[in-house]
DNA sequence: TCTGGGGTCCTAGGACCC
DNA sequence: TCTGGGGTCCTAGGACCC
């Protein structure tokens, strides 16, 4: 058996923990740049606010219903996620942190009759220790645990257990096929075209048909719906194979200087992420593009991928490549809206190959990066930075409704008085 | 005025090997 | 007249997830 623990309306719930007046009110959280709706409290969902809706299109609705609107506060959400996962880890070591707000638990070592109590205990403990409401779904496969969670969210207890077939069959019969984990828009369309509307009908399709249209991934999914477990819980997170840092800018940027500043900062973020997972990258891609939502302006979009002389993880090497790439793709006469840096060809830092001519990463860079990381960890991000990272930040995000970083910043602690 | 960011896996096709 | 069989690696594109 598997459990899926899923935080309810996670970002909106994080905002509520430190602002109890928001209980019972409609709350939404916006994407970067205050662009789209990315989280909604139940009250907001009832107002018909859709996921991914651009905020400016529903400005009137938000005002009319006095919806509490927040810019996304990832410092807060990441920390709260960590607290939820820590809490779960104290209840069981068999945990897979699947996303910022979800975790699977491998329940094989649990006696079946203890599972209802355990599921309730998970929910109550996380709620009490972190203030975040969670739903728990329990079933014989990960995919079915997702289904159980779907029903847990709708139930008063916040828990749903699907042990065996009469129950599972009823659950699948009432579930639209498009709600199944792994069925996205395209697959849903294809299913509907073939008269498959419910998860139960999906489960009854022949292996051959599924294999032909949805590939091996789809076949696994259908087997999982039948109760045959194909997806194990991953207790260890493997290192990432590609790492990207990109942002839309708060306003359009035409000049080279602010673009260089932005790209240098993105390169440093990528380097930090590489070091955190003890990896080095062989390839670096830089991309820039103008604003496709303004078709009347001249459009330009380009990217370039460069091979590093030696796989690296230190700031200087990545900045150098990123700026070199930017130099090659930059054109004057366009208003840029977004840029990013992507590193790939990732290898463990312990296994970096020198090149044939003995050129290695210069000694000292490794120590320098460690020292910079340690200082910035203590003193705050970018306290020590390369000059090119700058202080102007004309490209910075728009975040007009940002809540305090209650849990990660001394100056922003919650005060009561 | 105003439209996010970061990932995974699979597949098909081409270039190449013996 | 006649032109095999069995592989690997890489890449781009497309699906999916949160």
């Amino acid at each position: 058996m598997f459990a899926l623990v899923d935080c309810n309306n996670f970002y909106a719930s994080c905002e509520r923990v430190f602002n109890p007046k928001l209980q019972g009110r409609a709350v939404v959280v916006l994407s970067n740049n205050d662009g789209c709706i990315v989280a909604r409290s139940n009250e907001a969902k009832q107002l018909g606010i859709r996921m991914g809706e651009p905020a400016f299109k529903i400005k009137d609705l938000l005002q009319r219903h006095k919806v509490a609107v927040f810019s996304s506060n990832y410092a807060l959400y990441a920390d709260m996620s960590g607290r939820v996962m820590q809490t779960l880890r104290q209840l069981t070591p068999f945990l897979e942190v699947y996303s910022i707000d979800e975790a699977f638990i491998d329940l094989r070592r649990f006696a079946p009759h203890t599972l209802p109590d355990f599921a309730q205990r998970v929910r109550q403990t996380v709620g009490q220790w972190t203030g975040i409401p969670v739903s728990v779904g329990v079933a014989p496969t990960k995919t079915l645990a997702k289904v159980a969670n779907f029903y847990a969210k709708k139930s008063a207890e916040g828990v749903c257990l699907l042990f065996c077939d009469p129950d599972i069959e009823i659950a699948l019969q009432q579930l639209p096929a498009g709600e199944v984990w792994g069925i996205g828009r395209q697959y849903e369309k294809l299913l509907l075209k073939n008269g498959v509307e419910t998860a139960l009908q999906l489960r009854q399709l022949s292996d051959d048909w599924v294999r032909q249209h949805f590939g091996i991934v789809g076949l696994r999914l259908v087997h999982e719906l039948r109760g045959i477990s194909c997806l194990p819980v991953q207790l260890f997170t493997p290192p990432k194979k590609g790492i990207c840092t990109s942002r839309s800018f708060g306003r359009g940027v035409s000049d080279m200087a602010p673009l260089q500043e932005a790209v240098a900062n993105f390169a440093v973020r990528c380097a930090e992420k590489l070091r955190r997972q003890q990896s080095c990258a062989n390839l670096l891609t830089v991309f820039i593009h103008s604003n496709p939502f303004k078709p009347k302006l001249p459009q330009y979009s380009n990217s370039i991928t460069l091979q590093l002389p030696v796989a690296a993880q230190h700031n200087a090497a990545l900045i150098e490549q990123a700026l070199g790439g930017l130099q090659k793709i930059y054109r004057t006469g366009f208003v840029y809206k977004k840029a990013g840096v992507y590193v790939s060809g990732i290898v463990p830092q312990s296994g970096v190959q020198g090149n044939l001519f003995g050129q290695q990463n210069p000694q000292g860079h490794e120590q320098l990066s460690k020292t910079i990381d340690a200082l910035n960890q203590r003193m705050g991000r970018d306290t020590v930075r390369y000059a090119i990272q700058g202080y102007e930040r004309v490209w910075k995000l728009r975040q007009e409704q940002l809540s305090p970083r209650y849990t990660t910043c001394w100056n922003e602690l919650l005060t009561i008085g």
Side-chain angles (χ1 to χ4, degrees):
Chain A
M1 299 292 280
F2 299 83
L4 174 65
V5 183
D6 192 324
C7 300
N8 301 344
N9 315 326
F10 181 55
Y11 299 166
S13 297
C14 288
E15 298 294 345
R16 272 183 176 162
V17 170
F18 297 94
N19 194 344
K21 281 183 193 161
L22 298 175
Q23 296 295 342
R25 263 186 79 184
V27 178
V28 298
V29 178
L30 306 177
S31 63
N32 273 342
N33 266 319
D34 296 345
C36 300
I37 308 285
V38 293
R40 306 156 295 159
S41 69
N42 289 341
E43 297 81 0
K45 288 176 187 172
Q46 272 157 27
L47 291 175
I49 299 171
R50 281 176 313 173
M51 187 69 173
E53 183 87 334
F56 75 89
K57 287 189 179 171
I58 56 165
K59 210 172 150 194
D60 288 347
L61 180 83
L62 294 173
Q63 277 177 355
R64 200 162 59 242
H65 291 91
K66 297 197 167 55
V67 178
V69 179
F70 291 92
S71 304
S72 40
N73 184 344
Y74 284 102
L76 179 65
Y77 310 149
D79 185 66
M80 292 304 290
S81 171
R83 291 172 185 223
V84 169
M85 300 310 168
Q86 271 304 110
T87 304
L88 292 175
R89 230 181 271 285
Q90 294 195 34
L91 296 170
T92 171
F94 307 110
L95 190 74
E96 172 185 342
V97 177
Y98 174 69
S99 75
I100 195 165
D101 71 334
E102 280 173 84
F104 285 103
I105 300 172
D106 184 336
L107 296 171
R108 265 178 299 187
R109 287 158 209 255
F110 288 67
H113 71 273
T114 64
L115 291 179
D117 275 356
F118 178 73
Q120 268 304 337
R121 190 146 51 88
V122 164
R123 193 170 159 273
Q124 280 163 8
T125 310
V126 174
Q128 191 176 344
W129 293 10
T130 68
I132 299 290
V134 301
S135 303
V136 183
V138 176
T141 68
K142 277 179 150 183
T143 306
L144 287 171
K146 277 267 188 187
V147 173
N149 198 284
F150 177 88
Y151 288 104
K153 283 239 156 61
K154 300 187 182 309
S155 79
E157 309 84 54
V159 164
C160 171
L161 296 98
L162 296 174
F163 276 99
C164 42
D165 221 6
D167 292 346
I168 292 175
E169 197 169 316
I170 294 165
L172 295 183
Q173 193 164 17
Q174 292 168 15
L175 189 72
E179 293 289 340
V180 173
W181 189 37
I183 300 297
R185 276 209 191 81
Q186 301 304 314
Y187 287 173
E188 183 183 23
K189 228 187 281 175
L190 183 60
L191 286 171
L192 287 176
K193 217 169 73 185
N194 286 274
V196 176
E197 290 170 17
T198 70
L200 185 63
Q201 289 172 298
L202 171 59
R203 181 172 92 157
Q204 289 161 344
L205 289 169
S206 81
D207 281 7
D208 285 346
W209 193 90
V210 173
R211 171 73 234 235
Q212 195 191 332
H213 292 90
F214 297 155
I216 191 74
V217 180
L219 190 57
R220 276 202 288 259
L221 178 165
V222 168
H223 283 193
E224 284 245 322
L225 286 180
R226 294 178 191 153
I228 303 162
S229 177
C230 307
L231 307 168
V233 166
Q234 289 217 298
L235 299 181
F236 302 98
T237 38
K240 294 191 192 321
K241 298 171 178 177
I243 290 174
C244 182
T245 304
S246 73
R247 292 289 178 275
S248 295
F249 303 140
R251 58 185 175 87
V253 170
S254 298
D255 295 339
M256 184 56 151
L259 275 180
Q260 285 175 322
E261 192 185 285
V263 164
N265 277 286
F266 300 158
V268 167
R269 291 285 93 77
C270 286
E272 286 170 355
K273 294 177 191 176
L274 281 169
R275 295 197 289 270
R276 211 173 308 143
Q277 67 163 26
Q278 307 189 4
S279 301
C280 289
N282 278 294
L283 300 169
L284 182 147
T285 305
V286 198
F287 63 87
I288 50 177
H289 63 74
S290 51
N291 189 347
F293 293 107
K294 291 187 171 173
K296 285 179 187 161
L297 290 180
Q299 296 290 318
Y300 175 70
S301 152
N302 204 352
S303 75
I304 187 171
T305 299
L306 302 164
Q307 172 107 39
L308 277 70
V310 179
Q313 58 169 199
H314 59 270
N315 297 352
L318 268 58
I319 290 176
E320 186 188 350
Q321 293 296 322
L323 292 179
L326 176 64
Q327 201 68 251
K328 290 206 172 83
I329 57 175
Y330 174 77
R331 302 282 180 275
T332 52
F334 298 98
V335 180
Y336 295 98
K337 183 61 178 171
K338 183 171 177 173
V341 172
Y342 174 71
V343 292
S344 55
I346 289 177
V347 294
Q349 64 183 16
S350 55
V352 172
Q353 275 192 11
N355 74 22
L356 188 57
F357 307 104
Q359 186 188 1
Q360 290 291 347
N361 280 321
Q363 291 292 321
H365 270 302
E366 203 174 309
Q367 187 52 48
L368 179 60
S369 291
K370 275 186 192 150
T371 306
I372 291 176
D373 285 345
L375 282 169
N376 287 342
Q377 171 76 35
R378 244 174 52 210
M379 316 291 287
R381 173 179 278 181
D382 292 334
T383 301
V384 179
R385 73 180 83 190
Y386 283 76
I388 190 77
Q389 289 180 256
Y391 290 90
E392 301 286 329
R393 292 189 173 249
V394 298
W395 46 274
K396 69 175 183 296
L397 293 178
R398 201 174 35 249
Q399 293 182 303
E400 288 170 359
Q401 322 279 342
L402 192 58
S403 53
R405 292 167 289 177
Y406 298 105
T407 60
T408 56
C409 181
W410 287 112
N411 300 327
E412 299 180 19
L413 292 182
L414 180 64
T415 54
I416 299 167

